[in-house]
C-alpha cells in the first residue's frame, strides 16, 4: 500500500533559524511526484514545493528546499530563515505518475517563536 | 492570480439532509478533486474528475456521494443523506494540464457541520 508518514506531529523553530520537517513514503512505483503543502489557520492549502521522482536535483523555492532521497524514500522540507508567517500545518503528499489520486501524510504543525 | 473558490464557507445541516457543496475551479483547468479533512486529521482523497466523469474515487466515496460539473464552470459535491461523521472540512482542488506535470490548487474549503 502507498503511504505517507510524517513522524513529527509538532515542531518549533526560532525566528530566522532553520528547521527541517521529515516525510517518508512507501511505494513500489518508480515514477511519482512529491509535494509539500502548507495549511495556515485560514485552512486553505497552499503548495510550497514539488519534486519529480525522476529528477535527482533537489527542488528549491526561495527559503524552502527539499532533501529527496529516493532510495531511502525520504522527502524532507527545509525552511531557512524562518518567519512568523511560516507557522502552519505542513503536509507531505504523493502521487503516482499517470494516476489521479493524491495521498497525504498526517501533517506537522510548525510553530515559529519570536 | 487565478484561484479556486468554494461556497458556502460554512454549512450546517441536520443529519439525513442532503447538502451540495460548490466549487469553481480555475477556468482553464481540466482535472478536479474533492478532499475531506476531519478536524485535526489528515487530508483524505475523495474523488477525481476529468472529462465529465469520475476518474478515481476512494473507499470513502460511497453511494451517498456524487459529483457533477453541471455548467462547465461549477464543480459540485453532493451528499445525499448526511451522517454525523460527514462533519469535516471539504476542499476542492483543480489541476491545469496533463496530470503528470501540474500541481493542485486548493480552494479555501467548506466547513460542513452535521447536527
Amino acid at each position: 500500500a502507498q503511504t505517507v508518514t510524517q513522524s513529527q506531529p509538532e515542531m518549533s523553530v526560532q525566528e530566522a533559524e532553520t528547521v527541517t520537517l521529515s516525510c517518508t513514503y512507501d511505494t513500489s512505483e518508480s515514477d511519482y511526484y512529491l509535494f509539500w503543502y502548507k495549511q495556515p489557520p485560514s485552512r486553505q492549502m497552499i503548495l510550497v514545493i514539488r519534486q519529480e521522482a525522476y529528477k535527482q536535483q533537489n527542488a528549491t523555492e526561495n527559503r524552502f528546499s527539499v532533501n529527496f532521497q529516493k532510495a531511502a524514500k525520504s522527502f524532507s522540507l527545509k525552511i531557512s530563515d524562518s518567519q512568523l508567517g511560516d507557522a502552519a500545518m505542513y503536509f507531505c503528499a504523493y502521487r503516482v505518475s499517470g494516476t489521479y489520486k493524491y495521498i497525504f501524510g498526517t501533517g506537522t504543525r510548525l510553530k515559529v517563536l519570536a | 492570480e487565478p484561484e479556486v473558490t468554494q461556497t458556502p464557507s460554512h454549512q450546517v445541516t441536520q443529519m439525513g439532509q442532503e447538502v451540495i457543496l460548490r466549487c469553481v475551479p480555475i477556468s482553464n483547468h481540466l482535472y478536479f478533486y474533492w478532499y475531506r479533512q476531519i478536524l485535526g486529521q489528515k487530508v483524505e482523497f475523495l474523488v477525481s474528475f476529468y472529462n465529465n466523469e469520475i476518474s478515481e474515487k476512494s473507499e470513502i466515496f460511497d453511494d451517498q456521494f456524487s459529483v457533477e460539473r453541471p455548467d462547465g464552470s461549477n464543480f459540485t459535491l453532493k451528499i445525499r443523506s448526511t451522517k454525523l461523521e460527514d462533519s469535516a472540512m471539504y476542499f476542492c482542488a483543480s489541476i491545469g494540464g496533463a496530470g503528470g506535470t501540474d500541481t493542485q490548487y486548493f480552494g479555501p474549503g467548506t466547513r460542513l457541520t452535521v447536527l
Side-chain angles (χ1 to χ4, degrees), chain A residues 33 35 37 39 43-45 47 50 91 95 99-102 104-106, chain B residues 31 33 35 37 42-43 48 55-56 91 95 99-101 103-104 106 111:
Chain A
Y33 300 83
F35 308 85
Y37 280 91
Q39 187 182 44
R43 308 287 305 263
Q44 184 164 8
M45 299 279 278
L47 176 66
R50 63 191 285 265
F91 290 95
R95 177 173 71 80
T99 71
Y100 303 97
K101 183 176 180 179
Y102 289 69
F104 283 78
T106 51
Chain B
Y31 295 78
Y33 298 78
Y35 291 87
Q37 185 182 29
K42 68 178 178 181
V43 176
S48 60
S55 48
E56 196 159 357
F91 291 100
I95 290 179
T101 55
T103 45
Q104 296 179 95
F106 280 78
R111 178 177 302 198

Side-chain angles (χ1 to χ4, degrees), chain B residues 43-103:
Chain B
V43 176
E44 299 174 292
F45 170 85
L46 291 178
V47 66
S48 60
F49 192 85
Y50 170 71
N51 199 25
N52 282 322
E53 60 183 22
I54 291 173
S55 48
E56 196 159 357
K57 60 183 180 179
S58 73
E59 314 75 49
I60 302 168
F61 194 88
D62 61 21
D63 292 343
Q64 291 300 310
F65 292 87
S66 63
V67 290
E68 193 177 30
R69 189 155 161 80
D71 56 12
S73 63
N74 290 282
F75 178 52
T76 61
L77 174 70
K78 181 193 290 186
I79 309 175
R80 290 188 227 294
S81 178
T82 50
K83 302 188 278 286
L84 295 176
E85 53 265 37
D86 293 328
S87 294
M89 200 76 171
Y90 288 81
F91 291 100
C92 172
S94 68
I95 290 179
T101 55
D102 286 349
T103 45

Side-chain angles (χ1 to χ4, degrees), chain A residues 31-114:
Chain A
D31 192 10
Y32 50 87
Y33 300 83
L34 296 163
F35 308 85
W36 278 99
Y37 280 91
K38 171 184 177 181
Q39 187 182 44
S42 67
R43 308 287 305 263
Q44 184 164 8
M45 299 279 278
I46 303 166
L47 176 66
V48 174
I49 199 165
R50 63 191 285 265
Q51 173 84 42
E52 292 91 341
Y54 64 85
K55 289 187 177 178
Q56 293 184 334
Q57 186 173 7
N58 289 324
T60 62
E61 286 287 343
N62 301 314
R63 298 183 295 107
F64 299 87
S65 62
V66 298
N67 183 6
F68 174 47
Q69 302 288 329
K70 190 171 185 179
K73 297 179 183 174
S74 170
F75 182 61
S76 59
L77 174 69
K78 185 170 83 170
I79 306 174
S80 304
D81 186 25
S82 298
Q83 300 174 0
L84 295 177
D86 294 334
M89 281 290 284
Y90 286 82
F91 290 95
C92 179
Y94 158 97
R95 177 173 71 80
V96 174
S97 176
T99 71
Y100 303 97
K101 183 176 180 179
Y102 289 69
I103 299 170
F104 283 78
T106 51
T108 296
R109 181 174 301 282
L110 178 66
K111 295 183 177 180
V112 181
L113 309 173

